[in-house]
Amino acid sequence: MKLKMKHAAAAAGLALALGYGFALGKYAIFPYSFIYEFKHRHFTSEQVDTVRNPTYLFKRDMYKEFHGQGDYVMVGDSITENARWDDIFPDYKIVNRGIAGDDTTGVLERIDDIIATGAKKAFIMIGTNDIDRGMS
């Protein structure tokens, strides 16, 4: 009986925490304004270093040299890069051009290399890092 009560209490606590987290983001309840002010005071777009890290530069240069050929190209950031497109769509020839940390500026800089894949269609998932960096 005590074990059931502990599990019930843990489930109730988890539900309460999730509900509070949802309300914090959706309805901007306390401490939303503090978090918002802190983020924008310390992490504004002027302060964010948009210089590309060595891993980004390596991948960008690799994609420039080795275009790859496919019917579809996936373009984006780490979400795109880390997806296993060949496992998800085994019957399609897909070229993955996701790079962790990429933003819309980076994709636009790489557009010629993306076109060079010869893909008939491009699927683009970009913008998460722009929002995080205060760029949009």
Side-chain angles (χ1 to χ4, degrees), residues 2-134:
K2 287 184 180 182
L3 187 58
K4 285 185 181 181
M5 290 298 287
K6 286 182 181 180
H7 285 175
L14 181 61
L16 183 64
L18 289 172
Y20 181 76
F22 174 77
L24 175 67
K26 176 102 173 133
Y27 302 108
I29 64 173
F30 177 80
Y32 179 84
S33 58
F34 173 76
I35 294 168
Y36 183 86
E37 294 283 330
F38 181 82
K39 179 184 178 200
H40 284 58
R41 184 177 306 129
H42 298 288
F43 302 103
T44 62
S45 59
E46 295 83 29
Q47 296 168 328
V48 172
D49 186 11
T50 56
V51 174
R52 307 293 182 195
N53 67 46
T55 304
Y56 179 94
L57 296 173
F58 172 78
K59 284 219 126 165
R60 184 197 65 192
D61 293 343
M62 183 181 71
Y63 292 158
K64 185 181 287 274
E65 293 299 318
F66 304 102
H67 300 294
Q69 295 294 308
D71 297 325
Y72 305 94
V73 62
M74 304 299 194
V75 181
D77 53 25
S78 60
I79 299 167
T80 304
E81 178 184 14
N82 293 324
R84 301 288 305 262
W85 300 113
D86 52 342
D87 290 342
I88 299 169
F89 302 107
D91 298 332
Y92 297 93
K93 186 150 174 62
I94 297 174
V95 179
N96 188 347
R97 288 297 174 260
I99 301 178
D102 210 355
D103 51 32
T104 52
T105 304
V107 169
L108 292 173
E109 290 170 354
R110 305 188 293 123
I111 199 73
D112 291 333
D113 302 324
I114 294 166
I115 292 170
T117 64
K120 298 174 195 167
K121 294 186 180 184
F123 292 87
I124 302 168
M125 202 297 298
I126 199 74
T128 304
N129 292 316
D130 295 80
I131 293 168
D132 187 52
R133 295 173 185 150

